[in-house]
Amino acid sequence: MNQSTKYVFVTGGVTSSLGKGIISASLAKLLQGRGYQVTIQKLDPYINVDPGTLNPYEHGECFVTDDGAETDLDLGHYERFLNVPTSQANNVTTGKIYQSVINKERKGEYLGKTVQIVPHITDEIKRCVQILGSKSEFDVVITEIGGTVGDIESLPYIEAVRQMKWERPNDVIVVHLTLIPYLSAAGELKTKPTQHSVKQLLEFGVQPDVLVCRTEHELTPSVRSKVARFCNVKLNAVIQSIDADTIYDVPLLMQQEKFDEVVIEKLGMKKGRKPELKKWNNFLQKHKNPKHQVRIALVGKYVELKDAYKSIAEAFVHAGAANEVKVDIKWVHSESINERNLEQHLGDVDGVLVAPGFGSRGIDGKLEAIQYVRENKIPFLGICLGMQCAVIEFARNVLGMEEAHSTEIKEYTPHPVISLMAEQKSITTLGGTMRLGSYPCALKKGSHAHEAYKEDLIQERHRHRFEFNNDYQQAFEQAGMTASGINPESELVEVVEIPDHPWFVGAQFHPEYKSTVAEPHPLFQAFVKAARTHAENEDRAAVEA
Ligand code: GLN
């Protein structure tokens, strides 16, 4: 084990949704800016082995890593902020912990002992945290603990933190994120909930080293000193986290509060250089001062739940800044679209993205939307199920295969243009069994995709069971839909497009997972650029008319 690795645990108190993920990512960004190698890990106290089988209504988007882990959406924030890929080891759940302990028990590895939460479950938690530290590439491991202190489910995690703090007093600190509510009737900021949540942590034997206080109003010096006094933390370790216009402001707000400096001091690390955030600031500058605006419809079945499409929405922020454009997302529920209201939903947009998904709900609306953008030459990006719908729509309306479908939705269609991948046919369980993670894809020269990436071979992340059926490839090519991206080993079609359209691209993979602040995704950039051209042409047409 690399003894010099430092560990920062981030716990939450008072309520959920205070933004532990963004605080963790912001601290990591500042430490990275000082020259440290940092990774962030999320411990989720639920019993599912991973969020892959969870409905988006439960936990929002499922984020996929290069190595094919289906993970919590916070890992998306970590990657977008740090521009460093995460992996299986960066998301651990209670399900995973118990699965591993029970497997060891069945193998007889506990030598006749009674297997218990302490020490066996807590040892497994500590092992999962320190695995990342043992990869000597990381100087600091930031571990965010999901949920709120006091939840029954998170007790073993807090106990593991207590033990690690005791075992490695110089290498471990705890940052506790709490809320300081403002009572408008009293005109006051209230510290009591924070005091209570720190008390609760103390009951479990954990003294937080730093308190990050989420607030809607500036903390007064007296509030800060009250929090410090009642919670046994130094005054400079009371960090204000005020509501920000964008999550991308948070690292800078944390820097103003000297959050990174306090952490560095407490961990006995060298200060390093002043955080280098040039690229970050450039991005923010462009993000906040767009020269143009485009409106892009996001057609999906979970649009009332923005977290379901988190990575897509953020990829638009990155690609927007790169194009000096503000991307105004028009969230369109796929179930609300029908052939009579297409104008109303899509008549005022410069581009349409049809979202990934599973199952039949909302498919008809997606197909209507695609026919509309294909015929009206509106830029289109289809992702995963969105790409599959583009194939179905083309088969039905261009190739005349009226009943063409995906076998996911209509098993015995006469034209299974999208069908189950051969490797999937023998699979009967749902968890972790899709085609997951990074695969290569060769791009056809001269295609929109090749133009966007400017590369012949790309690597993108997947999460699907169904695929373009290659029996139909020739018919599609002849009718004007090209397979412009193909997996060189399996020959699976990964990208389809219509050359005779300003910009119509469907990707079987998920480009949104790889878009970061430092490297906005090429497909999103090209799509937004096409939308911008569309908007400019519309303006010109309006002036001429
Ligand atoms: N349901 C489709 C499949 O499994 C698409 C999956 C997705 O959009 N992520 O192939």
Side-chain angles (χ1 to χ4, degrees):
M1 192 201 310
N2 179 357
Q3 277 301 325
S4 66
T5 300
K6 304 287 185 180
Y7 295 89
V8 178
F9 287 98
V10 180
T11 57
V14 185
T15 87
S16 56
S17 305
L18 290 180
K20 279 192 303 262
I22 300 298
I23 290 296
S24 305
S26 300
L27 173 62
K29 186 78 219 164
L30 294 175
L31 296 176
Q32 185 191 52
R34 286 185 182 270
Y36 287 110
Q37 301 296 323
V38 191
T39 189
I40 320 176
Q41 176 189 46
K42 174 95 190 263
L43 302 182
D44 274 310
Y46 52 68
I47 295 168
N48 304 66
V49 171
D50 62 43
T53 51
L54 288 177
N55 186 311
Y57 287 115
E58 298 285 315
H59 269 273
E61 167 187 283
C62 172
F63 186 80
V64 179
T65 60
D66 279 333
D67 64 351
E70 295 177 282
T71 73
D72 186 80
L73 59 78
D74 273 332
L75 273 79
H77 289 308
Y78 308 161
E79 291 201 9
R80 290 188 280 274
F81 274 52
L82 295 184
N83 199 32
V84 175
T86 52
S87 70
Q88 298 273 358
N90 291 74
N91 195 191
V92 175
T93 65
T94 296
K96 255 190 205 158
I97 298 280
Y98 272 79
Q99 195 174 48
S100 146
V101 169
I102 290 170
N103 286 343
K104 283 187 203 161
E105 187 274 336
R106 291 290 81 184
K107 284 192 207 148
E109 288 184 21
Y110 294 110
L111 303 174
K113 288 267 182 224
T114 308
V115 180
Q116 296 182 297
I117 292 185
V118 182
H120 303 103
I121 295 295
T122 47
D123 277 354
E124 183 62 18
I125 294 172
K126 288 189 291 179
R127 191 184 69 81
C128 288
V129 171
Q130 291 173 104
I131 275 176
L132 284 167
S134 63
K135 294 185 182 181
S136 47
E137 66 206 87
F138 298 121
D139 305 307
V140 183
V141 176
I142 298 179
T143 299
E144 175 193 348
I145 299 181
T148 308
V149 166
D151 297 346
I152 292 177
E153 299 182 320
S154 59
L155 283 178
Y157 294 93
I158 303 296
E159 168 59 14
V161 172
R162 186 194 66 77
Q163 292 177 22
M164 264 188 73
K165 235 179 161 236
W166 178 250
E167 290 158 10
R168 304 178 63 166
N170 301 322
D171 296 333
V172 177
I173 63 164
V174 173
V175 172
H176 188 54
L177 176 61
T178 76
L179 177 70
I180 309 263
Y182 179 78
L183 287 194
S184 46
E188 269 181 52
L189 288 161
K190 291 296 186 188
T191 65
K192 197 67 85 187
T194 293
Q195 295 178 40
H196 280 303
S197 93
V198 170
K199 266 213 181 100
Q200 192 144 30
L201 261 182
L202 286 168
E203 271 175 36
F204 304 132
V206 174
Q207 165 66 55
D209 299 277
V210 181
L211 288 178
V212 178
C213 303
R214 188 68 196 270
T215 175
E216 290 173 2
H217 296 267
E218 292 279 338
L219 298 185
T220 59
S222 76
V223 166
R224 286 181 191 250
S225 62
K226 195 168 172 185
V227 169
R229 189 171 342 113
F230 280 106
C231 302
N232 315 326
V233 295
K234 294 238 175 80
L235 190 56
N236 72 347
V238 177
I239 305 293
Q240 162 182 291
S241 168
I242 200 155
D243 287 1
D245 293 340
T246 143
I247 53 171
Y248 299 107
D249 272 335
V250 179
L252 304 179
L253 293 171
M254 290 299 108
Q255 190 182 17
Q256 281 165 21
E257 287 284 307
K258 301 192 168 41
F259 184 24
D260 53 329
E261 291 183 40
V262 173
V263 166
I264 282 172
E265 176 203 311
K266 298 221 176 271
L267 286 169
M269 291 158 63
K270 289 205 186 72
K271 224 168 160 186
R273 58 176 189 238
K274 191 169 175 282
E276 203 281 294
L277 295 169
K278 214 159 123 205
K279 258 193 170 172
W280 191 270
N281 284 321
N282 270 344
F283 155 79
L284 265 183
Q285 183 65 18
K286 284 197 196 151
H287 173 51
K288 292 188 170 178
N289 302 290
K291 297 197 177 124
H292 317 265
Q293 177 155 355
V294 297
R295 174 174 268 209
I296 293 183
L298 196 163
V299 177
K301 66 173 168 177
Y302 298 112
V303 289
E304 70 282 18
L305 184 85
K306 306 285 181 299
D307 271 1
Y309 303 113
K310 194 86 209 158
S311 294
I312 293 177
E314 297 306 328
F316 276 131
V317 173
H318 311 151
N323 278 288
E324 304 195 301
V325 164
K326 175 175 172 14
V327 179
D328 175 19
I329 300 181
K330 182 174 183 184
W331 303 86
V332 181
H333 202 298
S334 47
E335 279 180 299
S336 71
I337 301 179
N338 58 51
E339 59 182 324
R340 294 174 307 282
N341 62 20
L342 284 161
E343 251 331 286
Q344 174 204 329
H345 281 306
L346 305 177
D348 59 349
V349 302
D350 306 304
V352 171
L353 185 147
V354 174
F358 297 83
S360 60
R361 187 162 70 88
I363 288 285
D364 292 342
K366 289 182 174 173
L367 295 173
E368 289 291 349
I370 293 169
Q371 182 175 7
Y372 181 85
V373 297
R374 183 176 54 74
E375 292 176 351
N376 290 288
K377 308 266 184 214
I378 298 169
F380 166 78
L381 176 59
I383 299 181
C384 205
L385 182 64
M387 169 271 198
Q388 298 176 351
C389 286
V391 168
I392 298 165
E393 190 280 323
F394 195 86
R396 289 186 185 180
N397 300 324
V398 179
L399 290 168
M401 301 173 182
E402 261 171 53
E403 290 181 65
H405 224 315
S406 160
T407 56
E408 175 181 7
I409 294 149
K410 196 170 177 199
E411 201 176 343
Y412 301 107
T413 161
H415 299 293
V417 287
I418 301 291
S419 60
L420 196 61
M421 280 178 279
E423 69 200 46
Q424 287 285 328
K425 292 196 172 136
S426 57
I427 291 174
T428 52
T429 54
L430 288 185
T433 54
M434 280 188 252
R435 179 174 181 239
L436 290 166
S438 194
Y439 287 91
C441 168
L443 297 177
K444 198 162 141 188
K445 287 213 169 61
S447 62
H448 287 308
H450 191 275
E451 210 175 292
Y453 284 92
K454 300 188 175 51
E455 278 177 64
D456 299 338
L457 191 70
I458 56 163
Q459 298 278 341
E460 289 286 0
R461 300 181 194 173
H462 296 68
R463 182 172 187 248
H464 62 125
R465 293 185 202 281
F466 296 84
E467 249 298 328
F468 182 88
N469 181 343
N470 278 350
D471 292 348
Y472 291 89
Q473 203 179 328
Q474 210 180 357
F476 273 77
E477 296 277 352
Q478 279 166 2
M481 181 177 267
T482 321
S484 58
I486 303 224
N487 180 302
E489 288 140 25
S490 59
E491 310 245 301
L492 292 175
V493 171
E494 312 283 34
V495 188
V496 295
E497 55 185 86
I498 298 178
D500 184 25
H501 184 286
W503 208 89
F504 187 106
V505 176
Q508 183 56 77
F509 49 75
H510 292 258
E512 71 275 22
Y513 293 144
K514 281 181 76 170
S515 188
T516 68
V517 166
E519 289 178 49
H521 195 281
L523 268 190
F524 274 86
Q525 281 195 58
F527 177 41
V528 170
K529 190 168 167 210
R532 189 177 136 181
T533 307
H534 183 272
E536 284 162 3
N537 290 343
E538 293 279 292
D539 286 350
R540 205 166 307 129
V543 170
E544 281 162 14

